[in-house]
Amino acid sequence: MNNGIMIVLDGSNGAGKSTVIKAVKEYIESRQLEVVMTREPGGTPIGEKLRNIILSKEHPEMDDLTELMLFGAGRAQHLAEKIYPALESGKVVLSDRFDSATISFQHFARGIDRELVDKINNLALNGFSPTLTIILDLDPRIGLDRVRSRGEGLDRLEDQDLLFLDRARNGYLRQAEEFPNKFYVIDASQSLEKVISEAILAVEQLL
């Protein structure tokens, strides 16, 4: 593999992303490939500062357009500072969320016009697209129960009504239907072992 690839794990809160992404990382490294782990919002010092602003419950007054542009700004920095250099050196970038989350949450859930969301996304991406996005699909009700059972707090986007989270979930599934070659959907209501197995199988087909 001369050029690097980027794999994104995204989907419902409580679907097991953190555990699955660690298992995928271990699998990729077993193939003697170097992995760069990252996340959105975040991934860089600037991005992590933006993450704190975007997800903090201290900012309930944040305008939807402000939120969208902060995601775009963080993504532009993420690509320039971390993702592009890793790919150019032949590494595998493994990200917890990326551009599909913006479409799901800001367009489908928030209701911001898709054309505007795409413009901000495309400005940040500048033609770039992840190699594969794995969606861990789960009913938000089950996901929130899992999050609460672990004693974890909810961030500003997680702490929305179920209708909002249902719309975001539908957004992921709609994107997968629209771009079947770029997305792989896994039923995250299955056992964690089964979810991990399916995720590794999807990645194996790329390597």
Side-chain angles (χ1 to χ4, degrees), residues 10-11 97 100-101 104-105 135 168-176:
D10 213 326
R97 298 200 188 282
S100 54
S104 290
F105 282 93
I135 302 298
R169 178 194 186 190
N170 180 58
Y172 285 116
L173 297 177
R174 291 279 296 276
Q175 290 180 78

Side-chain angles (χ1 to χ4, degrees), residues 138-171:
L138 186 67
D139 185 322
R141 293 151 190 82
I142 299 174
L144 288 177
D145 284 344
R146 289 181 179 179
V147 171
R148 293 189 181 106
S149 71
R150 296 195 293 260
E152 299 175 6
L154 300 175
D155 63 41
R156 193 176 64 84
L157 287 179
E158 292 170 336
D159 194 20
Q160 301 284 328
D161 60 52
L162 284 170
L163 182 58
F164 176 91
L165 298 175
D166 279 333
R167 291 196 299 265
R169 178 194 186 190
N170 180 58

Side-chain angles (χ1 to χ4, degrees), residues 65-132:
L65 184 57
T66 301
E67 180 183 85
L68 172 63
M69 291 194 291
L70 287 175
F71 272 114
R75 184 160 300 131
Q77 184 66 28
H78 196 190
L79 281 160
E81 183 178 346
K82 191 170 190 177
I83 296 173
Y84 286 150
L87 296 177
E88 288 167 3
S89 60
K91 298 173 184 175
V92 176
V93 176
L94 194 54
S95 183
D96 183 338
R97 298 200 188 282
F98 198 60
D99 60 318
S100 54
T102 299
I103 295 171
S104 290
F105 282 93
Q106 276 62 62
H107 168 59
F108 284 95
R110 288 273 187 239
I112 300 176
D113 183 74
R114 176 67 181 266
E115 184 177 353
L116 178 57
V117 173
D118 285 344
K119 281 182 178 179
I120 297 297
N121 241 348
N122 292 339
L123 184 63
L125 293 169
N126 193 29
F128 175 79
S129 178
T131 313
L132 176 68

